[in-house]
Amino acid sequence: MRLAAPVFSNASFWAGSGAVPVMVLAVAIDVPGFVAPLPTWESVVATSGMGFALAGPVAAAGSAVAVATARQWRAGSGTRPTRPVWQQVLQRIWPAWLALIVGFGICLVSVATATSPDTGGDQLVAVVVAVASAVSIPVIAGAMVGCSVTAVVAGPLTLIVGYAISAFGLVDPALISLGVLGGTWLPHATQSLDASISPALLIGPPLAFLALAAMLRVADRRRILARGAALLGVVAVVGGMLASPLMDVRAPGTVARSASALHCVGVDVELCLWPEVERDRDELTTHIAAFNAVLERAALPTPSTVTPHPEGAADLFLSTRVTDPADWIAVQFGESYTWSIGCLDSTGSMPISSVGPQSEEESEAMLRASGLLSAALGGDPGYAASALGWTPAAGTDPLQHLGAADPESALFAFADWVDTIQEHCGVANAT
């Protein structure tokens, strides 16, 4: 019973008890909305921290009130603490800290079970360090507030500021650095197999944690000038280390994934895949062979390299996921082929030649050609026609909307479009 009274009278315990279900509910609601599957432990660990943005401020407020209450009690009773400040703080905030660890653990098990990761990922260790730091940052930051203001002010102040830090980066990209330091932006950078988490998102939480820990240590300094100089030194060092990477972060906090992780195999057509979808190689090879047979039937050039990381204009971009159906893969292949031969980059937006689409009419013609080829390759005509405004409620057949009677006529209509464009780029030069 000696342990029960301090724990159950500790505000951080009750705040932590509320933070756990908040974390679990946040992950349960948001994770199914992710665009890409989560086949790596790296993405699973990062995504499991989705609840930090909501639960972190709650745990921080509890820590702030717990520390402020203890400080006010000691001041009123006239007792002088015999232990360092950091030890006193840890004694008050450990329930909230433990709650965040438990909540994250539940989320990690839930996400891992739902997504079945089978590889570690390119930056697993760095992601684990960043998430471990993000677990610690809210409670320590709340404790710092509790060391400075009264318990009445500490709770609401920490809660409001905490939610502001979590939300402002989503509202205004200029304030994304706040979420970077708190680790709340890590989950947003795991939505694509072709992107990697920005280094700034990984280095931000560990540096913020070290800064807060250092501030707790220097809080024991008796002389005000020495304590102030030490605090300024910590801020200057950490701020200098973070200034450059924080300025480079853009939503959703990703950089292009390194091509070194790709595994490329093939004779007639080299197919490059990320490790996460390597198990689909045989199936994808069969699909691409079938696509090339259709192209050859219309005397169209075939690609020599199909990759999610094109390094040359002749490489055809194709990035698939384990859950992609065959008709959607055909649409992706058709879109990428059309963009490539029509002098656009792999995103379909940036011209790789001065003769790319110059007018709205030419852009619309390219969209129609992309839909025609996608349908000819066996893609779902509904997918293919949607870019031109077709919807199931339109009351017309999607192929008719594209201007073709059947997949065979769609193929030759696409070939006619190829003959009309001024210059053939990209995959046209692959063979």
Side-chain angles (χ1 to χ4, degrees), residues 298-387:
L300 293 167
T302 56
S304 59
T305 301
V306 178
T307 174
H309 198 290
E311 296 183 344
D315 295 347
L316 184 66
F317 171 79
L318 182 66
S319 181
T320 62
R321 302 165 297 178
V322 175
T323 56
D324 284 344
D327 52 4
W328 176 239
I329 295 173
V331 171
Q332 289 181 295
F333 187 96
E335 286 182 342
S336 297
Y337 186 93
T338 305
W339 295 336
S340 178
I341 206 169
C343 303
L344 294 180
D345 69 354
S346 61
T347 67
S349 59
M350 297 296 293
I352 57 177
S353 168
S354 59
V355 295
Q358 301 296 316
S359 65
E360 185 176 344
E361 291 77 11
E362 290 178 346
S363 297
E364 184 174 338
M366 178 173 284
L367 280 175
R368 187 175 302 278
S370 172
L372 289 168
L373 179 59
S374 299
L377 295 175
D380 185 333
Y383 282 139
S386 60

Side-chain angles (χ1 to χ4, degrees), residues 67-425:
V67 172
T69 301
R71 182 173 55 83
Q72 289 177 251
W73 180 85
R74 289 194 181 95
S77 63
T79 59
R80 297 179 61 85
T82 58
R83 289 171 297 173
V85 170
W86 67 270
Q87 289 185 9
Q88 301 172 45
V89 168
L90 287 180
Q91 184 185 26
R92 302 299 298 173
I93 68 174
W94 72 263
W97 203 339
L98 180 61
L100 288 183
I101 295 173
V102 170
F104 176 77
I106 296 173
C107 294
L108 181 63
V109 171
S110 302
V111 175
T113 303
T115 56
S116 301
D118 51 16
T119 59
D122 300 335
Q123 304 181 98
L124 177 58
V125 174
V127 170
V128 169
V129 172
V131 171
S133 301
V135 170
S136 310
I137 287 170
V139 291
I140 298 180
M144 299 285 292
V145 175
C147 288
S148 307
V149 299
T150 63
V152 175
V153 177
L157 176 65
T158 308
L159 196 64
I160 293 171
V161 172
Y163 278 123
I165 290 174
S166 298
F168 281 168
L170 298 173
V171 176
D172 186 352
L175 299 174
I176 188 176
S177 57
L178 296 176
V180 170
L181 291 175
T184 58
W185 264 89
L186 276 169
H188 298 286
T190 58
Q191 298 186 30
S192 171
L193 292 177
D194 305 317
S196 181
I197 300 175
S198 170
L201 297 189
L202 300 175
I203 194 175
L207 284 180
F209 168 72
L210 291 176
L212 291 172
M215 289 178 181
L216 273 180
R217 293 289 295 180
V218 302
D220 283 329
R221 299 289 181 92
R222 298 300 181 186
R223 295 184 179 181
I224 295 179
L225 290 179
R227 185 164 63 246
L231 289 173
L232 289 176
V234 170
V235 172
V237 170
V238 175
M241 295 177 70
L242 282 171
S244 177
L246 285 183
M247 293 300 100
D248 294 334
V249 175
R250 297 292 182 271
T254 60
V255 294
R257 189 174 178 182
S258 173
S260 61
L262 286 171
H263 184 209
C264 300
V265 176
V267 179
D268 296 330
V269 179
E270 184 180 52
L271 175 60
C272 300
L273 299 175
W274 299 118
E276 297 90 325
V277 291
E278 180 63 33
R279 56 186 168 176
D280 288 347
R281 177 174 295 278
D282 292 342
E283 182 180 352
L284 289 171
T285 299
T286 301
H287 287 322
I288 292 171
F291 299 157
N292 284 346
V294 173
L295 295 172
E296 289 171 350
R297 194 165 70 246
L300 293 167
T302 56
S304 59
T305 301
V306 178
T307 174
H309 198 290
E311 296 183 344
D315 295 347
L316 184 66
F317 171 79
L318 182 66
S319 181
T320 62
R321 302 165 297 178
V322 175
T323 56
D324 284 344
D327 52 4
W328 176 239
I329 295 173
V331 171
Q332 289 181 295
F333 187 96
E335 286 182 342
S336 297
Y337 186 93
T338 305
W339 295 336
S340 178
I341 206 169
C343 303
L344 294 180
D345 69 354
S346 61
T347 67
S349 59
M350 297 296 293
I352 57 177
S353 168
S354 59
V355 295
Q358 301 296 316
S359 65
E360 185 176 344
E361 291 77 11
E362 290 178 346
S363 297
E364 184 174 338
M366 178 173 284
L367 280 175
R368 187 175 302 278
S370 172
L372 289 168
L373 179 59
S374 299
L377 295 175
D380 185 333
Y383 282 139
S386 60
L388 286 169
W390 179 86
T391 64
T396 59
D397 183 81
L399 262 179
Q400 293 178 352
H401 186 83
L402 292 170
D406 52 49
E408 191 70 13
S409 62
L411 174 63
F412 290 101
F414 174 81
D416 290 340
W417 171 81
V418 172
D419 291 337
T420 64
I421 57 179
Q422 299 179 20
E423 181 178 329
H424 302 163
C425 300

